[in-house]
Amino acid sequence: MESKTFWECNKAYILTALGLGVVGFVFVGFLMIMDWGYLIQYTMHALIGDTSGVLTAPASELEQMVNAAFGPAYNSVAPEIIRASNERQEYIWYVFFAEIMIFVFLYIKNGRVTPTITRPNDTVQVLTSFQRAVIWLNIGMISILVLTGFNITWGLRSEGGDIPRILREFHELTGLAWIGVWLVFTVIAAKDMKGWRKNSTFRHFLPGSFKPSKRVIWFFYAAMGAALCFSGAMIITLHPSSLTHADVIQFRRVLLYLHFGASVLIMFFILDFVYASAVSVKGYLKGLWSGNYPREYLEQVAPDVLEDLKKAGRA
Amino acid sequence: MSRMKFYCDDYRCIDCNGCVVACKEAHEIPVGVNRRRVITINEGIEGKQKSLSVACMHCSDAPCQKVCPTDCFYIRTDGIVLHDKDKCIGCGYCLYACPFGAPQFGHEGIFGVKGVMDKCTFCAGGPDETLSENEFEHYGQNRIAEGKIPMCASMCSTKALIAGDASEVDKIYEYRTAKRGDNTSLKPYGWEAYNNGK
Ligand code: HEM
Ligand code: SF4
Ligand code: SF4
């Protein structure tokens, strides 16, 4: 028991950290042209309130003018976005392809779990109508955000015009509205956060617990969602505007970089949600809609949820 | 033919903002949009204050054209960088990319309705029919089609701001610096000086 615990308990975290480490190393070291040294120094300066990006005193009058007119080192931050837009439109497919292949692999390995249901009418309410409203609102809004967001990335295909422009504006509006939904969903999906679990109300509200591999997914969804909400809202509301204030334009470039990076990463976790709810277990999606799952389904697929619901007197 | 360029002589610019007003007046540009701006550094410090009028510099390797997701920029054979407002989705990426802060958005503010991008056209209009009403409404005057130079340069009282064929602009620049006694062939200037300073 003792010798097993650390590796067994933390396998999912260690593997995720290793996987992200390798992918991160390859990306940062070989595929990205961002000036990381500048970004790190810039972040330090920004944290103490200097967002201008002028890290060293200008050596000439011309440099001083350049800084005053449009900010310094304009292609140090986010060059993938601001210098290589067309390449990005071509190559981002490979990232999505790799993400989808992971689920194809999982499907080939695990197949589709089909619980045997003999008493379909013996059901237990797992999700309240409030929880379902939040879940489906989240699904709807994320679908809109993904479509309208990547509508910007792939503008070369749509060739722009009024419809893509309205979709882009819709992205910003939906994004602002999603902030609240993201927050509530994050809480609903948290399930077995230690402190909350001690509290009986939370346990009643959030039955079941996560396996580490699922907790990692929840953690990433929460973190990437936070990054998207923070960067998106900041891009929209940044004051003074970078249109007239060169001292904040570098900051805005960093925000856009964060937003795009987080949107590509969150896609993996969105795809995982689609896989988990529509592919991996038969009957999951139906329950997500009605809130009720057959008792036998829970016994076979989610005994921990049934256990908690029993304790709460709901099953 | 070489490329059309602006040049602003910081020895001559007196921060009068005449170019800014001339541009706004000529193209009937709304409040909040400045196709041209005057930047001043070391304000009030005697002998050190300098001003420079900047707008779109009609870059040879234009970053805005590289970044635009809808590819709405096009570069004329004379080097003037123009864009198509009917394609623009107002994402603002060109502003992130432009080293001169040239792209402007009329309706900045929350709820995403920034409007489509507007910038200096070197007074050469846009993709709409030349000298049509549509072209004026979208892009302003097309003085190049009328054989005139951009409004800002033509109005500049000290002739700090000059515009035209780069080889001609270059001659004026060389003449002026030689007359002032700056040995420009020995001293790096412009981007060269900027990069050397790094
Ligand atoms: C699941 C959530 C989201 C996804 C998948 C997403 C995706 C994207 C993508 C792909 C882009 C284009 C980036 C590029 O191609 O460079 C983008 C841009 C943008 N997004 Fe999001 N986004 C999400 C949430 C949000 C939220 C919550 C907000 C606001 C609060 C927001 C506001 C923006 C803004 C302001 C831009 C910049 C472009 C513009 O000005 O229209 N997004 N997003
Ligand atoms: S908008 Fe900016 S990047 Fe584009 S040509 Fe003009 S100065 Fe260059
Ligand atoms: S705002 Fe318009 S011109 Fe600028 S990058 Fe976006 S689509 Fe292109």
Side-chain angles (χ1 to χ4, degrees), chain A residues 15-315:
Chain A
L15 289 180
T16 309
L18 271 177
L20 284 178
V22 171
V23 173
F25 178 75
V26 173
F27 255 82
V28 171
F30 303 103
L31 299 176
M32 292 170 91
I33 47 176
M34 144 92 82
D35 182 345
W36 291 96
Y38 179 87
L39 182 72
I40 292 165
Q41 282 186 41
Y42 174 78
T43 311
M44 309 273 221
H45 278 242
L47 284 176
I48 53 168
D50 172 18
T51 54
S52 70
V54 183
L55 303 182
T56 42
S60 64
E61 263 172 10
L62 188 78
E63 198 178 334
Q64 199 181 346
M65 279 183 165
V66 167
N67 293 346
F70 46 80
Y74 87 99
N75 57 4
S76 299
V77 175
E80 285 82 3
I81 293 181
I82 67 176
R83 290 292 295 180
S85 169
N86 293 3
E87 290 80 350
R88 187 168 60 114
Q89 300 200 25
E90 290 304 325
Y91 294 129
I92 201 74
W93 288 112
Y94 293 105
V95 178
F96 292 132
F97 179 72
E99 287 179 356
I100 290 169
M101 286 323 282
I102 293 174
F103 296 104
V104 171
F105 172 75
L106 279 180
Y107 182 71
I108 293 171
K109 190 164 157 264
N110 300 334
R112 189 171 202 217
V113 177
T114 314
T116 13
I117 312 288
T118 52
R119 291 170 279 120
N121 293 331
D122 180 11
T123 58
V124 177
Q125 195 199 33
V126 176
L127 300 165
T128 63
S129 42
F130 172 71
Q131 287 172 326
R132 274 178 294 140
V134 174
I135 291 171
W136 284 100
L137 210 56
N138 199 36
I139 293 174
M141 281 185 160
I142 287 199
S143 309
I144 293 174
L145 285 171
V146 168
L147 286 175
T148 53
F150 287 103
N151 149 70
I152 302 168
T153 316
W154 279 301
L156 207 53
R157 280 160 208 268
S158 65
E159 295 189 348
D162 286 344
I163 293 172
R165 182 172 54 77
I166 290 163
L167 288 179
R168 184 195 62 71
E169 285 165 2
F170 205 56
H171 181 81
E172 297 187 13
L173 280 176
T174 318
L176 287 173
W178 184 62
I179 296 176
V181 179
W182 162 80
L183 198 68
V184 184
F185 184 85
T186 305
V187 174
I188 287 184
K191 293 228 269 197
D192 57 354
M193 297 301 283
K194 265 196 186 124
W196 294 352
R197 204 146 164 83
K198 285 194 196 121
N199 180 317
S200 60
T201 325
F202 268 120
R203 216 156 130 191
H204 176 83
F205 189 63
L206 316 161
S209 59
F210 279 139
K211 290 196 201 93
S213 60
K214 285 284 161 201
R215 195 175 298 113
V216 166
I217 302 237
W218 172 84
F219 178 74
F220 259 90
Y221 170 80
M224 294 304 121
L228 284 166
C229 289
F230 169 75
S231 55
M234 286 290 275
I235 292 173
I236 298 171
T237 55
L238 197 62
H239 191 82
S241 164
S242 55
L243 294 177
T244 44
H245 289 73
D247 45 336
V248 290
I249 189 157
Q250 201 69 308
F251 187 53
R252 212 162 149 153
R253 289 177 183 134
V254 174
L255 288 174
L256 185 67
Y257 203 67
L258 178 67
H259 196 82
F260 180 67
S263 68
V264 172
L265 287 177
I266 206 174
M267 281 309 287
F268 177 77
F269 305 99
I270 292 171
L271 286 172
D272 177 78
F273 178 82
V274 174
Y275 177 75
S277 53
V279 183
S280 70
V281 185
K282 190 167 182 248
Y284 186 94
L285 200 58
K286 211 171 137 203
L288 216 52
W289 182 250
S290 66
N292 301 328
Y293 285 90
R295 189 177 293 276
E296 288 167 311
Y297 174 101
L298 294 176
E299 279 162 0
Q300 290 161 45
V301 179
D304 51 326
V305 173
L306 191 61
E307 189 72 11
D308 277 355
L309 289 174
K310 273 186 190 155
K311 276 187 204 149
R314 279 169 57 190

Side-chain angles (χ1 to χ4, degrees), chain B residues 55-65 73 81 94 97-103 117 119-120:
Chain B
C56 170
M57 300 300 270
H58 301 273
C59 308
S60 309
D61 174 26
C64 56
Q65 191 200 25
F73 289 90
V81 179
C94 46
C98 171
F100 300 96
M117 191 272 273
K119 74 165 189 72
C120 158

